Amino acid sequence: MPYDETSGLSAAQLRLGRLPGYVRQPDPARRAGERGSTYKKGWEVRFTARSEAEIAEIRELLVAAGFAPARPFFKGQQLIQPVYGMAVVRTYLEARELVA
């Protein structure tokens, strides 16, 4: 897998930055103040797609980038491909900065 000299990100990881999606992060104040069983929000990137074919492409790209995609789901009129973990959030945000 080729690497970008300036950032150390693989080509597949850089392509993730071009995908439409959004990041969900835990709120440290709520995490510290509430018991663990009541506040469960964690680190997550949600990629959005309009079709099953787009989800399949996103999943292939995630695997090529070294991440394990979770089960996709519908939210409104969109298909959502979630990927959990702090590493994928950091990689996605870094790739978005390099693409912009």
Side-chain angles (χ1 to χ4, degrees):
M1 189 178 320
Y3 283 89
D4 178 67
E5 300 284 330
T6 58
S7 69
L9 290 177
S10 72
Q13 290 171 336
L14 286 173
R15 285 194 303 266
L16 288 178
R18 294 188 185 106
L19 294 175
Y22 57 96
V23 173
R24 293 175 47 113
Q25 299 176 8
D27 179 3
R30 281 191 69 187
R31 175 124 334 147
E34 297 180 26
R35 293 184 299 153
S37 62
T38 58
Y39 183 70
K40 297 184 179 185
K41 185 173 172 184
W43 296 89
E44 174 183 7
V45 177
R46 290 184 173 180
F47 296 101
T48 58
R50 291 181 300 249
S51 69
E52 295 282 342
E54 285 184 21
I55 287 289
E57 290 176 23
I58 291 170
R59 290 178 67 84
E60 288 176 15
L61 187 56
L62 286 167
V63 170
F67 299 111
R71 181 177 296 161
F73 61 91
F74 282 98
K75 182 174 182 183
Q77 298 296 319
Q78 293 183 329
L79 276 165
I80 305 294
Q81 174 59 66
V83 188
Y84 301 104
M86 191 181 302
V88 72
V89 170
R90 287 185 177 159
T91 301
Y92 180 68
L93 292 176
E94 186 176 340
R96 296 276 310 207
E97 288 178 13
L98 292 174
V99 169

